[in-house]
Amino acid sequence: MEISGIISAIIIGIVIGVLGRLVVPGRQRIGVLWTIAVGIVAALIGSAIANAFDVSDTNGVDWIEWLIQIGLAALGVAALDRSKARR
């Protein structure tokens, strides 16, 4: 992976993480860095799932891939928030 790919994964991860955090209702007790980390992981896993279902390359914006990534980020943020609440 080139440096431009890493930078774009971080930027997309930030956006996905913030959108995933906005989807989860209520206040989350996780920090910004955890949100970015969850977003990056969700973006990578969501892209792999979209490739598996052959919906990653469409004409225009890849809305299905974005929805998968945002859904995964919301699940990740909620799971991490629940694990932080138990402590």
Side-chain angles (χ1 to χ4, degrees):
M1 180 176 263
E2 296 179 10
I3 192 73
S4 62
I6 294 170
I7 292 172
S8 64
I10 291 171
I11 292 171
I12 291 170
I14 291 169
V15 172
I16 294 295
V18 169
L19 290 174
R21 191 171 179 151
L22 288 174
V23 171
V24 177
R27 184 174 187 273
Q28 292 82 38
R29 293 171 291 277
I30 63 171
V32 174
L33 293 177
W34 280 113
T35 302
I36 292 170
V38 167
I40 292 170
V41 170
L44 294 173
I45 294 173
S47 293
I49 291 171
N51 280 332
F53 287 113
D54 200 28
V55 293
S56 62
D57 288 328
T58 58
N59 294 332
V61 180
D62 298 327
W63 293 110
I64 298 172
E65 183 176 8
W66 273 81
L67 290 174
I68 293 169
Q69 292 170 338
I70 293 169
L72 289 173
L75 287 173
V77 166
L80 192 59
D81 182 46
R82 286 185 187 258
S83 71
K84 293 269 186 183
R86 291 183 182 172
R87 293 182 189 184

